[in-house]
Amino acid sequence: MKKISENKIKKFKLIGLFIYVLIACLIVYLTKPVYIFSIFIVLVPPAIINFLWLKKSRKKILIFSIVSTFLFAFAIELSSRLANTWDVQSILPRLFGLIPLENMLFAFLNIFWVLCFYEYFVDKDKTIKISKKFKYLVALFCLFSLIIFSIYFYDSNKIAMNYFTTAIIVLIIPAIIIFSKKPKLLKKIILPLIFFAIVFFIYELISLKIGSWWWPGEYLLPIKMFGKVLPLDDIIIWYFLSTITLIGGYEFFADDWK
């Protein structure tokens, strides 16, 4: 009996992850749980499973994800909520009365699962140690958060940032800098980019339908779904640009930059 190749095993696992997300989204659609429970149903199990498939990169990805969430994502959420860019169903206390903790869990998984997926299916889980350059990313995150929270306490209106302001500052400019130095990395992003664009689109549609997510602000490219606003700004920026910049930043600051 022929041994099943590693590539075939990974294909089965990839299909399995996607099928799980589809089934989980159907369960969420039918049962309509509150937002935080839908996150635990749809995103937590496949992220943990994908994490356990790794052998060498676990510690590195976990550190990167935790640091990025606490030192970066909180500041982004604050500036975006001040601009009324998005909002979510929240049953937990909100930091400063604005930042939903549920979305911080979502932000963590958006980083954590994407990187677990990238390492396992694309980058071959080959590097154990976190790069010495990681300290520079921590410094940049600390500086960014310090600026955002300092201005917030001085005059909160001055840090309200809509989708495209946020995208230019934290996604587009960093991505141009990173990939202009190593454009060949772009081909390694294709699979996770497509996979998570589909996964997050399906999950976001379900979330919009059952009232977990909504978009109350003004947008450049608003469309109507289920009689509600779903901005194409969100799809372009968070489904595509965020995945590209996340993986590029991870490779440059934490991984082997290959």
Side-chain angles (χ1 to χ4, degrees):
M1 186 176 179
K2 291 183 178 180
K3 185 178 180 179
I4 300 175
S5 69
E6 184 179 353
N7 285 338
K8 285 186 177 180
I9 291 173
K10 285 189 175 183
K11 286 180 182 178
F12 288 135
K13 288 181 176 180
L14 178 63
I15 294 169
L17 288 177
F18 186 68
I19 290 174
Y20 174 83
V21 170
L22 291 180
I23 294 172
C25 283
L26 178 61
I27 291 171
V28 167
Y29 175 72
L30 294 174
T31 60
K32 298 177 176 55
V34 294
Y35 177 45
I36 191 167
F37 292 149
S38 80
I39 294 174
F40 277 104
I41 293 169
V42 177
L43 300 180
V44 171
I48 292 175
I49 290 169
N50 202 155
F51 178 71
L52 294 176
W53 288 339
L54 298 172
K55 294 180 180 179
K56 297 180 179 180
S57 306
R58 290 181 185 176
K59 183 177 179 181
K60 178 173 54 179
I61 288 175
L62 190 59
I63 291 172
F64 187 95
S65 302
I66 291 172
V67 168
S68 298
T69 301
F70 281 94
L71 297 184
F72 180 68
F74 273 86
I76 291 295
E77 188 74 23
L78 178 63
S79 65
S80 299
R81 285 294 305 118
L82 287 167
N84 213 22
T85 302
W86 61 68
D87 206 351
V88 298
Q89 184 185 46
S90 181
I91 61 173
L92 300 176
R94 294 191 175 209
L95 294 181
F96 307 110
L98 290 165
I99 301 175
L101 295 179
E102 291 88 344
N103 240 24
M104 294 300 92
L105 174 60
F106 180 85
F108 171 79
L109 292 167
N110 205 343
I111 298 167
F112 177 75
W113 187 17
V114 170
L115 294 181
C116 289
F117 182 98
Y118 170 72
E119 275 287 2
Y120 184 77
F121 289 103
V122 180
D123 209 34
K124 300 181 181 179
D125 187 26
K126 59 185 183 293
T127 308
I128 298 175
K129 292 183 179 180
I130 195 164
S131 171
K132 293 180 180 179
K133 291 184 290 186
F134 185 62
K135 60 180 177 289
Y136 299 117
L137 182 65
V138 173
L140 287 172
F141 282 165
C142 287
L143 178 61
F144 179 78
S145 290
L146 180 63
I147 291 171
I148 293 295
F149 284 101
S150 296
I151 296 175
Y152 169 75
F153 288 113
Y154 174 72
D155 184 352
S156 61
N157 293 323
K158 294 187 182 299
I159 59 161
M161 294 192 293
N162 61 23
Y163 270 119
F164 278 94
T165 303
T166 303
I168 290 170
I169 295 172
V170 305
L171 296 176
I172 295 174
I173 293 175
I176 290 173
I177 294 172
I178 290 169
F179 290 103
S180 63
K181 294 181 178 295
K182 191 155 289 192
K184 69 177 184 179
L185 279 176
L186 283 169
K187 67 181 181 181
K188 297 175 70 175
I189 295 173
I190 295 173
L191 177 61
L193 181 66
I194 293 172
F195 180 84
F196 285 102
I198 296 171
V199 164
F200 289 134
F201 181 68
I202 293 171
Y203 180 54
E204 204 160 81
L205 282 183
I206 298 298
S207 297
L208 178 68
K209 176 67 176 177
I210 67 174
S212 295
W213 270 90
W214 60 91
W215 287 265
E218 295 182 1
Y219 309 97
L220 294 179
L221 301 167
I223 59 174
K224 287 280 188 176
M225 295 290 293
F226 313 121
K228 303 174 184 178
V229 173
L230 174 63
L232 289 178
D233 317 32
D234 174 77
I235 294 172
I236 294 169
I237 291 168
W238 296 118
Y239 296 2
F240 297 102
L241 293 179
S242 66
T243 300
I244 292 171
T245 308
L246 169 62
I247 294 174
Y250 169 76
E251 274 287 356
F252 183 78
F253 288 105
D255 204 28
D256 58 3
W257 192 223
K258 293 179 182 179

